[in-house]
Amino acid sequence: MSVVKSIELVMPKDEVYLAGSNIDGQVVLTLNSTLVDPIVRVELVGRGYVEWNEEIGETRDYSRDVICNNKADYVHKTKTFPVKDNWLRAGSHTFDFHFNLPPRLPSTFNSKIGHVSYFVQALCMGREHILAKKRLYLLVQGISEARQRNLSQSPLSVEAEKNVSYNCCSQGWVSVQVQISKNTFVPGEKVTFTSEIRNNTGKYIKTVVFALYAHVQYEGFTPNAERRRRADSSELLRQMANARIPAFNSTTVVSAFNLPLVLSVSNDFQENEIMRTSYELVVTIHLPWSLTTVKARIPIIIVSTREDKAYCSTEDEPPNEDQLV
């Protein structure tokens, strides 16, 4: 029977930590028997990694490719708990810990190409090896640069129109105008917008799709240290409306999204960053009888500041903590 029965991390469930805020928790170590010369430690780790395969050569031969990757270490802090008399009796032992996140961190992120992850890890070690380990992943929301927090909040209006053919020789047009009161939002905020759709054809328009896309540009390096970039898009939110717009008619649709609680902030590449993200609201009108679509696109900006959420004071950590930033 192992001397360590269990090791657990006690922290708020589903908490979203803002960059620069405090992390408080407990390590609960339960022993089956007395443990001599134990080392009980907790670590805070944050890192990012991107990787993709890229074909090379003028002919783009898919049998010849190169791996592009990049990585970043954002935070690594360690606290080793003092153990009185260098032994612990059988039973449960609780150790309190406190960490402070650095003020400049990217948000938690995950895709098929890259990820940014943060976790707290508790370890109990004996004289020669690890006896127990527990890891708990965190949700971290990055904050924006000062220049991004003062962006204009003017209303936006975007219009798209397309001429279409139907019933062999009939022609008409379909247009959509999307209006939004502002283009800058914070994670978790409600995004409300209005779409005015005009159907100047003899056909019904049945469905309209509203979606929010994240466009991510990754930065990596080949084994020869050549810089490469790759763009990828993903659909974050999607709604479908049964519009049923009659021929030669128009309608107005009001839609709303609740943004995810954690989002990468809109930014440009900064030193040591491995990706940047932009966002786009897309309204799509499907016209199956003409084998085409009409799309209106509105770029939106995601920012986050310490004032957006309740923010804890950033006190210095106790001097007995070993920190590797």
Side-chain angles (χ1 to χ4, degrees):
M1 181 174 63
S2 173
V3 63
V4 178
K5 181 178 181 180
S6 66
I7 187 169
E8 299 294 335
L9 283 163
V10 180
M11 298 177 66
K13 187 177 181 181
D14 300 326
E15 177 82 4
V16 176
Y17 294 94
L18 197 64
S21 64
N22 296 331
I23 296 177
D24 297 291
Q26 293 180 327
V27 176
V28 180
L29 176 66
T30 304
L31 302 178
N32 289 312
S33 58
T34 299
L35 179 60
V36 180
D37 293 334
I39 298 175
V40 184
R41 177 180 298 167
V42 64
E43 301 175 339
L44 169 64
V45 179
R47 55 198 177 202
Y49 186 76
V50 298
E51 179 179 293
W52 70 89
N53 289 345
E54 186 172 291
E55 59 274 14
I56 61 175
E58 296 180 357
T59 59
R60 296 297 184 186
D61 184 357
Y62 285 91
S63 65
R64 301 174 62 226
D65 59 16
V66 61
I67 295 178
C68 301
N69 57 34
N70 199 356
K71 64 180 180 178
D73 293 318
Y74 300 115
V75 58
H76 191 174
K77 298 185 178 185
T78 302
K79 174 170 179 148
T80 301
F81 300 104
V83 177
K84 186 178 180 180
D85 299 328
N86 289 328
W87 68 277
L88 293 172
R89 60 175 173 77
S92 294
H93 305 269
T94 301
F95 305 89
D96 297 325
F97 66 86
H98 164 91
F99 288 119
N100 176 247
L101 288 169
R104 289 198 60 196
L105 289 175
S107 301
T108 299
F109 176 85
N110 189 48
S111 76
K112 62 182 180 181
I113 296 177
H115 68 265
V116 174
S117 62
Y118 300 89
F119 61 85
V120 172
Q121 182 171 264
L123 302 98
C124 178
M125 294 178 286
R127 290 189 178 94
E128 298 180 354
H129 58 278
I130 297 175
L131 300 175
K133 180 170 61 175
K134 181 71 172 184
R135 178 178 293 186
L136 186 64
Y137 283 90
L138 309 177
L139 293 175
V140 174
Q141 174 60 52
I143 60 175
S144 307
E145 295 299 309
R147 61 182 177 84
Q148 292 178 306
R149 296 198 292 266
N150 299 318
L151 294 174
S152 171
Q153 291 291 302
S154 301
L156 289 182
S157 179
V158 173
E159 186 170 2
E161 181 178 311
K162 181 172 287 188
N163 295 322
V164 294
S165 300
Y166 58 97
N167 292 344
C168 297
C169 57
S170 300
Q171 291 188 338
W173 54 266
V174 175
S175 71
V176 55
Q177 183 181 47
V178 184
Q179 294 181 329
I180 192 168
S181 61
K182 62 178 184 177
N183 70 330
T184 303
F185 301 90
V186 300
E189 188 175 358
K190 190 174 187 178
V191 180
T192 304
F193 54 96
T194 302
S195 304
E196 184 179 353
I197 303 165
R198 298 182 180 89
N199 178 18
N200 194 37
T201 72
K203 292 283 190 177
Y204 261 91
I205 293 177
K206 296 182 179 180
T207 59
V208 182
V209 177
F210 311 98
L212 177 67
Y213 288 88
H215 305 300
V216 185
Q217 188 173 54
Y218 302 91
E219 182 174 277
F221 296 89
T222 68
N224 295 327
E226 298 173 338
R227 179 176 292 179
R228 300 291 174 84
R229 287 182 175 178
R230 172 165 174 169
D232 188 52
S233 298
S234 61
E235 187 178 271
L236 300 181
L237 300 168
R238 180 184 179 91
Q239 291 182 358
M240 182 177 293
N242 294 319
R244 300 294 296 178
I245 306 172
F248 302 105
N249 212 321
S250 64
T251 191
T252 299
V253 181
V254 179
S255 305
F257 288 127
N258 285 319
L259 294 174
L261 295 178
V262 176
L263 285 171
S264 299
V265 296
S266 303
N267 62 352
D268 297 321
F269 275 122
Q270 303 291 331
E271 185 179 1
N272 297 326
E273 290 188 352
I274 59 178
M275 64 183 76
R276 67 180 176 92
T277 308
S278 61
Y279 298 90
E280 191 176 49
L281 178 65
V282 181
V283 178
T284 304
I285 303 173
H286 291 276
L287 309 174
W289 33 266
S290 69
L291 302 179
T292 188
T293 60
V294 182
K295 290 188 177 184
R297 304 175 182 270
I298 292 185
I300 67 171
I301 298 170
I302 300 298
V303 299
S304 181
T305 69
R306 296 179 179 181
E307 291 73 26
D308 294 332
K309 299 178 183 179
Y311 181 75
C312 299
S313 60
T314 56
E315 299 176 351
D316 292 334
E317 293 177 343
N320 62 342
E321 292 184 356
D322 303 320
Q323 298 183 6
L324 299 175
V325 181

